[in-house]
C-alpha cells in the first residue's frame, strides 16, 4: 500500500454524496483568497502514515509540557480565544510542519517552526492578533496569553495522542491513513478503507459517543454510497497534569478486537 496520501485521493475517497461534495465546494469558496485551499491540496501526507510507535513514544518523552503552568480554571471564561479560529486550522499546521521536518514534532519544535517565515502567517501571526484583540477588550495580558497557550497546547496534545494511536494500530496490522483535508473538512481523525476513525476525550458539552455539540464524521459524510462505518474511540478525561495523555494499551487492544477483527485474525 502506498504510504503517501494526497488531497485528491481524500476527495475521491470521501466525496460520495451530494452533501459531501457541497461541503468541499463551500470550503473552496470560503478560502478562495487566503491560500488555504492551494496549501492543503498540494500537501502530501507520508510521515503521519509511517511513523513507528517507538518514534512517537520518543516524541512524547522529549516534548516540553505544552500547557506550561496554565490551569483551565484561569482561562475557561476567555470566550474570544476559547472559540477562536483562523483560516489555517491548527491541524493543518501540525501536518504541514510534520512533513516539512520529516518527523512528528515536539512542542518546542512546533513552536519554533510556527515562528519561522515559512509558517508564521498560518498560526503565529493570527494568534498574536487574537491575543491583542482580547487584551484590547479588557482581558489581562497574562490571562489572554495563557488562554491561547491552553487552546493551542491542547490541540497539540490531541494531535500527538492521535499519532500514538495510529502508530499502535499500524504496529498491529491496521493500516490507517491521515491527511489534513480529511481532518479539517470532514472531522476524520483517520481511516482504514471505509472505516472512519474518531478519537476523542469524552465531554458532555463538546462530544461523547452519544452526543455533544461538535459535528462529527457521521454528519459530514452522511449519505455516502457505498456507506462508511464510523468508529468512535472515546477516552475518559485525563487524571493527571503535565504529561502526555495516551490511551492504555489494553484500551486500544479492545478497539482492535472490536473494530478490526481482520487484523486480529491475520
Amino acid at each position: 500500500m502506498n504510504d503517501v496520501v494526497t488531497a485528491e485521493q481524500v476527495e475521491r475517497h470521501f466525496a460520495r454524496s451530494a452533501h459531501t461534495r457541497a461541503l468541499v465546494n463551500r470550503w473552496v469558496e470560503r478560502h478562495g483568497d487566503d491560500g488555504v485551499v492551494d496549501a492543503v491540496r498540494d500537501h502530501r501526507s507520508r510521515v503521519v502514515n509511517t511513523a513507528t510507535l517507538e518514534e512517537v513514544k520518543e516524541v512524547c518523552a522529549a516534548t516540553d509540557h505544552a500547557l506550561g503552568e496554565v490551569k483551565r480554571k484561569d482561562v475557561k471564561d476567555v470566550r474570544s480565544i476559547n472559540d477562536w479560529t483562523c483560516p489555517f486550522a491548527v491541524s493543518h499546521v501540525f501536518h504541514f510542519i510534520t512533513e516539512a521536518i520529516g518527523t512528528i514534532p515536539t512542542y518546542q519544535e512546533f513552536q519554533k517552526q510556527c515562528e519561522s517565515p515559512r509558517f508564521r502567517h498560518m498560526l503565529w501571526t493570527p494568534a498574536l492578533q487574537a491575543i491583542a484583540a482580547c487584551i484590547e477588550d479588557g482581558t489581562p495580558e497574562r490571562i489572554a496569553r495563557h488562554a491561547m497557550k491552553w487552546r493551542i497546547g491542547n490541540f497539540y496534545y490531541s494531535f500527538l495522542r492521535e499519532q500514538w494511536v495510529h502508530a499502535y494500530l499500524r504496529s498491529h496490522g491496521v493500516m490507517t491513513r491521515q491527511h489534513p483535508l480529511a481532518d479539517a473538512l470532514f472531522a476524520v481523525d483517520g481511516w482504514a478503507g471505509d472505516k472512519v476513525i474518531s478519537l476523542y476525550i469524552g465531554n458532555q458539552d463538546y462530544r461523547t459517543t452519544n452526543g455533544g455539540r461538535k459535528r462529527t464524521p457521521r454528519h459530514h459524510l452522511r449519505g455516502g454510497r457505498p456507506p462508511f462505518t464510523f468508529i468512535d474511540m472515546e477516552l475518559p478525561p485525563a487524571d493527571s497534569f503535565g504529561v502526555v495523555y495516551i490511551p492504555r494499551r489494553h484500551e486500544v487492544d479492545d478497539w482492535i478486537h472490536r473494530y478490526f477483527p481482520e487484523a486480529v485474525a491475520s
Side-chain angles (χ1 to χ4, degrees):
M1 181 182 291
N2 192 342
D3 293 323
V4 175
V5 176
T6 67
E8 181 182 5
Q9 291 170 330
V10 172
E11 289 188 46
R12 189 165 60 244
H13 186 69
F14 288 108
R16 300 183 182 180
S17 68
H19 171 75
T20 310
R21 288 190 292 273
L23 275 180
V24 175
N25 292 337
R26 286 198 296 272
W27 173 70
V28 172
E29 292 172 1
R30 185 167 66 250
H31 294 289
D33 299 323
D34 55 24
V36 170
V37 172
D38 287 344
V40 173
R41 281 184 163 166
D42 287 343
H43 183 79
R44 298 167 63 85
S45 290
R46 184 193 62 81
V47 175
V48 294
N49 297 317
T50 59
T52 68
L53 186 59
E54 192 61 34
E55 289 169 343
V56 180
K57 286 168 59 179
E58 289 176 2
V59 176
C60 291
T63 187
D64 285 351
H65 183 28
L67 302 179
E69 299 302 318
V70 181
K71 300 295 190 293
R72 182 180 182 277
K73 64 182 179 62
D74 296 329
V75 300
K76 64 183 179 66
D77 295 326
V78 188
R79 179 62 62 85
S80 65
I81 289 180
N82 292 339
D83 294 337
W84 170 79
T85 60
C86 59
F88 281 94
V90 180
S91 62
H92 288 153
V93 186
F94 287 135
H95 280 275
F96 295 160
I97 289 174
T98 295
E99 296 301 327
I101 67 175
T103 188
I104 309 298
T106 61
Y107 190 68
Q108 56 268 34
E109 179 64 25
F110 167 70
Q111 286 183 300
K112 174 184 174 182
Q113 293 295 329
C114 277
E115 196 175 2
S116 71
R118 180 175 179 179
F119 299 110
R120 188 180 182 89
H121 68 287
M122 295 182 180
L123 184 60
W124 188 272
T125 297
L128 290 178
Q129 292 169 342
I131 291 170
C134 186
I135 295 169
E136 187 174 339
D137 286 341
T139 300
E141 179 177 352
R142 183 182 68 85
I143 297 299
R145 292 187 179 278
H146 279 191
M148 185 61 74
K149 186 176 185 67
W150 180 267
R151 183 158 178 76
I152 294 177
N154 275 296
F155 274 126
Y156 173 78
Y157 278 145
S158 178
F159 177 75
L160 188 54
R161 184 164 49 249
E162 288 169 13
Q163 302 318 310
W164 186 94
V165 170
H166 283 292
Y168 190 92
L169 291 172
R170 285 194 298 274
S171 73
H172 285 69
V174 182
M175 295 297 105
T176 63
R177 291 293 175 258
Q178 300 173 73
H179 191 279
L181 178 60
D183 186 352
L185 185 54
F186 304 127
V188 171
D189 295 327
W191 69 96
D194 288 342
K195 294 181 178 181
V196 176
I197 298 169
S198 297
L199 175 69
Y200 54 91
I201 297 173
N203 180 303
Q204 290 297 326
D205 294 327
Y206 191 55
R207 185 174 182 182
T208 68
T209 300
N210 298 316
R213 63 183 172 86
K214 183 178 180 181
R215 290 190 171 179
T216 68
R218 283 182 173 82
H219 170 82
H220 296 309
L221 301 175
R222 67 179 186 267
R225 291 291 180 271
F228 295 98
T229 298
F230 298 101
I231 296 174
D232 289 294
M233 297 179 173
E234 181 177 352
L235 293 170
D239 57 6
S240 60
F241 186 80
V243 296
V244 180
Y245 175 35
I246 57 176
R248 297 176 178 86
R249 288 175 180 252
H250 73 81
E251 293 173 320
V252 191
D253 289 339
D254 288 344
W255 294 335
I256 293 171
H257 280 81
R258 189 184 316 164
Y259 300 125
F260 303 100
E262 65 280 7
V264 177
S266 62

